[in-house]
Amino acid sequence: MADLFDYLTWRGDLSFDKVPFNKIDALLISHISYSLLNGLVPSDFKDAKTLKQLSKDFKAAPDYAERVKIGYVINKRTSELLIKTGKSNRFKNVKICGYREKFSEKDVEQFAAMTYILNDKEVIVSYRGTDDSLVGWKEDFNIVWQEPVPAQKDALLYIDEVSKAFDSQIKIVGHSKGGNLAIYTAVNCGSEVQSKISQIYNFDGPGFSADFFKKPEYLAIESRLFNFYPELSIVGMIFHHPQKFEIVKSDGFAVLQHDPLTWQILGPDFETKKDFAEESKFFYKTLNEWVENLNSSQTKEFVTALWDIIMASGAKSLTELQKNAFISGAKMFAKMTSLDKETKREVKVVLDLLKDIMFKDTPFGRALYFKNSL
């Protein structure tokens, strides 16, 4: 079993001149972008910092102990991976700039992006996926009925800034919601920016409506789009996903296969599987058939009701749900019993769909496991 740490050990001494940028590099950059880099990476594009210097600054930061507390949903070794990446010959001279981060409970937005300068000819835009905040997860659910969500709007503005700042080819990468943002921006950025995009990497990102993949703007970038999902994918099975993809072998348990540090690597490639797990296929078919039978108003009402239940816990993050699962669950159950009969039925459809896949193994599960309670 080999992961991103092993990849750096095996390939970290090889420059990009010797071995060109590949799918594992894309996943690595996507994942280290979860690191809390505010104040350490320049927000503009003219000033840039090498990953070697960033890894030193990150470790020496006065609030280092707080920065490594990324939360329950992001692997605790992410900061360690960033530091090892900055020490590798392959990545140490890669520069990073254009750091943006936006969080708003009012607007329901969690967004972060940064740009890596690979060389004089190529830059890489990395969109961060969903973090530990419940706001971030609520925005993910809003994708089902609201387009664009605030993060998609900001991602589109960001790629336009990058295109104006660099006369270079652009690669776009992202894991989880970051993968969704990568595809969304590549499709909606306009033909001038599209012409500069060489590759788009989506790692287990939630999808789009079926009609999205028929748009001429999508078809224009389809050959440059690369999609990867773990064998047991849940996040990537929300809505419809692109038809060209690879299934990656993971040593993670159940829904925890979403974590890129559980994905198995062999040299410059992934270890792959021939098909999704039956749980993923069932989830994909059942959830999307259910969503498509609702109109946009009904979908919005459902998402609002579900998140009213979750927010009744009083928690702000998955970590808080994890720590106070019993109390949070009691508060949410009380809120759930107050729903009208029809809304309660719709919520139960989704809870029943999820419980055998992710319940008991995640903060959501521990707090929301209402077996035989309805």
Side-chain angles (χ1 to χ4, degrees), residues 1-7 10 249 251 261-267 271:
M1 296 292 186
D3 59 18
L4 289 172
F5 284 96
D6 296 306
Y7 174 75
W10 295 339
K249 184 177 180 180
D251 66 358
L261 283 175
T262 71
W263 293 18
Q264 298 304 291
I265 294 165
L266 185 61
E271 290 192 53

Side-chain angles (χ1 to χ4, degrees), residues 102 107 109-111 127 139 143 146-161 180-181 184-185 188-189:
K102 190 172 181 180
D107 297 330
E109 178 177 14
Q110 172 258 313
F111 170 77
Y127 292 117
E139 186 176 31
I143 289 174
Q146 179 184 0
E147 186 183 316
V149 295
Q152 289 173 332
K153 293 179 182 179
D154 280 327
L156 201 55
L157 292 172
Y158 187 83
I159 198 71
D160 187 58
E161 284 190 71
N180 175 280
L181 298 180
Y184 181 86
T185 55
N188 292 288
C189 62

Side-chain angles (χ1 to χ4, degrees), residues 46-308:
K46 294 180 181 179
D47 188 17
K49 179 182 290 188
T50 64
L51 280 175
K52 179 180 179 179
Q53 186 61 50
L54 174 62
S55 66
K56 291 179 180 179
D57 293 347
F58 184 84
K59 196 168 184 179
D63 58 349
Y64 172 76
E66 293 303 313
R67 288 181 184 271
V68 299
K69 296 177 183 177
I70 300 178
Y72 182 88
V73 73
I74 310 299
N75 195 297
K76 292 178 175 60
R77 298 189 71 195
T78 300
S79 299
E80 181 186 344
L81 184 66
L82 170 66
I83 292 169
K84 184 168 183 176
T85 300
K87 292 179 179 179
S88 70
N89 288 331
R90 186 165 180 79
F91 285 96
K92 68 181 182 181
N93 293 319
V94 171
K95 295 179 180 179
I96 183 170
C97 60
Y99 185 80
R100 305 294 167 78
E101 192 171 20
K102 190 172 181 180
F103 181 86
S104 172
E105 290 188 7
K106 179 183 177 182
D107 297 330
V108 190
E109 178 177 14
Q110 172 258 313
F111 170 77
M114 56 218 76
T115 296
Y116 297 80
I117 304 173
L118 191 63
N119 51 47
D120 293 337
K121 298 179 180 180
E122 293 179 298
V123 298
I124 305 163
V125 169
S126 179
Y127 292 117
R128 181 184 293 165
T130 311
D131 62 13
D132 191 49
S133 70
L134 289 183
V135 166
W137 287 93
K138 184 177 182 181
E139 186 176 31
D140 287 353
F141 275 73
N142 284 349
I143 289 174
V144 175
W145 66 269
Q146 179 184 0
E147 186 183 316
V149 295
Q152 289 173 332
K153 293 179 182 179
D154 280 327
L156 201 55
L157 292 172
Y158 187 83
I159 198 71
D160 187 58
E161 284 190 71
V162 173
S163 179
K164 291 175 180 175
F166 297 97
D167 186 22
S168 309
Q169 286 193 327
I170 302 170
K171 301 180 189 298
I172 313 177
V173 304
H175 169 259
S176 193
K177 180 171 67 178
N180 175 280
L181 298 180
I183 297 175
Y184 181 86
T185 55
V187 170
N188 292 288
C189 62
S191 58
E192 184 177 346
V193 178
Q194 264 193 355
S195 67
K196 299 175 72 172
I197 297 173
S198 60
Q199 295 170 332
I200 309 107
Y201 291 90
N202 161 44
F203 299 102
D204 205 26
F208 301 87
S209 68
D211 288 341
F212 180 89
F213 300 103
K214 300 174 185 177
K215 295 171 64 172
E217 296 86 354
Y218 172 79
L219 297 175
I221 58 92
E222 187 176 28
S223 64
R224 290 170 270 172
L225 173 61
F226 303 90
N227 305 281
F228 305 88
Y229 304 92
E231 181 183 8
L232 203 162
S233 171
I234 299 301
V235 176
M237 297 299 103
I238 298 173
F239 250 22
H240 297 282
H241 55 70
Q243 292 305 300
K244 185 182 72 172
F245 55 84
E246 289 185 46
I247 302 172
V248 182
K249 184 177 180 180
S250 166
D251 66 358
F253 178 73
V255 71
L256 299 180
Q257 290 190 18
H258 185 58
D259 176 5
L261 283 175
T262 71
W263 293 18
Q264 298 304 291
I265 294 165
L266 185 61
D269 211 338
F270 292 113
E271 290 192 53
T272 58
K273 303 288 287 187
K274 291 184 178 180
D275 201 0
F276 287 113
E278 290 301 318
E279 296 94 328
S280 285
K281 291 190 283 187
F282 175 75
F283 179 82
Y284 180 76
K285 179 177 184 295
T286 307
L287 178 69
N288 289 305
E289 284 181 353
W290 173 75
V291 168
E292 288 171 357
N293 283 329
L294 301 177
N295 60 41
S296 59
S297 177
Q298 290 172 318
T299 308
K300 179 180 178 180
E301 288 175 5
F302 162 75
V303 171
T304 300
L306 178 61
W307 279 93
D308 282 346

